[in-house]
Amino acid sequence: MSLQHLRTFVEVYRQRSISGAARSLGLTQPAVSQHIAALEAAIERDLFTRQPKGVIPTLAGEELAASLGDRLDIAEAALAAARARSSDMTGSVRLIGHGDFLAEVVAPRLLPLLHSGLRISLHTGDREAIRQGLIEGNYDLGLSAYVLADRRLRSARIHEERVYAVAAPRVAARIMAAPDLRRALMAEPVLAYHLERPLVEDWLVENRLPGPPVSPAVVGQDLRCLRSLLMQEFGWTALPGYLCGDLIARGQLAEIIAPVERPVHTYSLVWSPAALRHPRVAFARNALMAGSFP
């Protein structure tokens, strides 16, 4: 029972797919099937049941996966990190994340990776693009402001931001002067990251201001677009502090004072365990996790 066979088993188990595991591991589909067949012969039990689309683990497969847990990933990541420390870093690391977060928070903290000799390729995408891109191996590391619930991915919290309700000073003053804050907010156009208005809803719920769903006047997945419209005195929104703190201090935006509390929004570094087998990716992940993300 070789390490390579176990690695293949873990990837098939996560992907629920022979072809998906083959892409992730850089193997052919026949090679993946041979590895699984060798494991099944060694334990004398079937590990997967083949389906028209993919595979599902048998009881024996579930038991083997539970026994292995993340131990194999942890060991391989440790080896990759050790190799990274003992060699010069070359090659490129592909990062995907929300455009405004990459530009405002991540990019200024990439110098240690660049000075190490790595090349960095930055790509923007929403929550689903980040998830799918990491699973398909199109990117090495993701930076997400939202939980990516997928058993094939791992994540670690890397950053926190207070969320502020903001508008242009005259718009904010009009809202704050109204006798009913909830009604005043509903009377103004709302700008949002997504139709579900995640940041706006977080702020409203935290401040006990629920109301009927309102369709955003503008949806933009780069929050800097929304900020630009706010500064032209159109509507209000909720923004993380890194996008509005300086502008509030300079009087170019104004905070709509939270009656209860400003919510805290968390950001995560996300990766596929298979990606950490590459020393440069393990090195980049560790450097980003250890970096200064106040």
Side-chain angles (χ1 to χ4, degrees):
M1 189 180 296
S2 74
L3 182 63
Q4 177 64 60
H5 292 169
L6 289 174
R7 179 186 297 134
T8 301
F9 164 78
V10 168
E11 205 59 36
V12 173
Y13 178 83
R14 288 185 178 133
Q15 301 277 352
R16 300 294 200 266
S17 167
I18 297 292
S19 60
R23 285 194 301 272
S24 178
L25 295 167
L27 299 173
T28 64
Q29 291 187 44
V32 170
S33 296
Q34 289 168 9
H35 290 180
I36 298 302
L39 274 180
E40 291 175 331
I43 66 173
E44 299 181 347
R45 297 172 72 183
D46 290 339
L47 293 169
F48 297 99
T49 301
R50 277 65 176 176
Q51 301 288 315
K53 292 185 178 180
V55 298
I56 59 173
T58 63
L59 178 59
E62 293 285 5
E63 290 173 346
L64 179 57
S67 298
L68 289 171
D70 284 342
R71 295 184 187 91
L72 189 61
D73 295 326
I74 293 168
E76 290 188 323
L79 288 172
R83 290 197 299 271
R85 287 192 295 270
S86 63
S87 61
D88 292 333
M89 286 292 98
T90 58
S92 176
V93 174
R94 301 161 298 173
L95 304 182
I96 181 170
H98 311 292
D100 51 271
F101 184 67
L102 289 179
E104 302 288 333
V105 178
V106 178
R109 294 166 173 82
L110 293 178
L111 282 178
L113 294 178
L114 295 169
H115 288 321
S116 74
L118 283 176
R119 298 190 303 276
I120 305 296
S121 180
L122 297 174
H123 305 263
T124 61
D126 62 8
R127 172 170 40 190
E128 181 57 22
I130 296 169
R131 187 190 70 82
Q132 196 65 33
L134 293 173
I135 289 169
E136 293 178 354
N138 298 324
Y139 307 105
D140 301 310
L141 299 168
L143 293 131
S144 177
Y146 305 97
V147 174
L148 302 180
D150 195 299
R151 67 174 182 275
R152 293 167 290 184
L153 300 175
R154 301 292 181 270
S155 65
R157 183 179 297 181
I158 199 170
H159 187 69
E160 291 185 347
E161 281 284 341
R162 288 282 178 186
V163 174
Y164 298 75
V166 290
R170 288 203 297 183
V171 176
R174 181 168 67 239
I175 292 171
M176 293 297 297
D180 187 318
L181 178 58
R182 184 178 70 84
R183 289 182 181 275
L185 290 169
M186 291 179 60
E188 299 285 345
V190 63
L191 318 183
Y193 167 81
H194 189 277
L195 284 173
E196 297 172 357
R197 312 185 312 174
L199 288 174
V200 170
E201 286 299 320
D202 286 351
W203 189 90
L204 290 172
V205 169
E206 187 75 20
N207 288 285
R208 302 170 190 165
L209 294 168
V214 176
S215 180
V218 178
V219 171
Q221 292 178 352
D222 188 320
L223 295 176
R224 290 171 297 186
C225 298
L226 308 185
R227 184 179 65 181
S228 177
L229 286 167
L230 293 182
M231 294 174 68
Q232 297 177 66
E233 300 193 348
F234 183 83
W236 72 280
T237 193
L239 292 177
Y242 65 80
L243 280 176
C244 62
D246 288 347
L247 293 173
I248 292 172
R250 294 200 297 265
Q252 294 173 273
L253 286 178
E255 181 181 6
I256 300 166
I257 303 302
V260 179
E261 183 62 272
R262 304 182 190 106
V264 175
H265 201 57
T266 62
Y267 299 77
S268 297
L269 184 66
V270 190
W271 64 90
S272 163
L276 298 188
R277 295 171 191 145
H278 303 288
R280 67 182 185 280
V281 179
F283 175 78
R285 184 203 64 160
N286 293 344
L288 288 171
M289 289 176 62
S292 176
F293 284 79

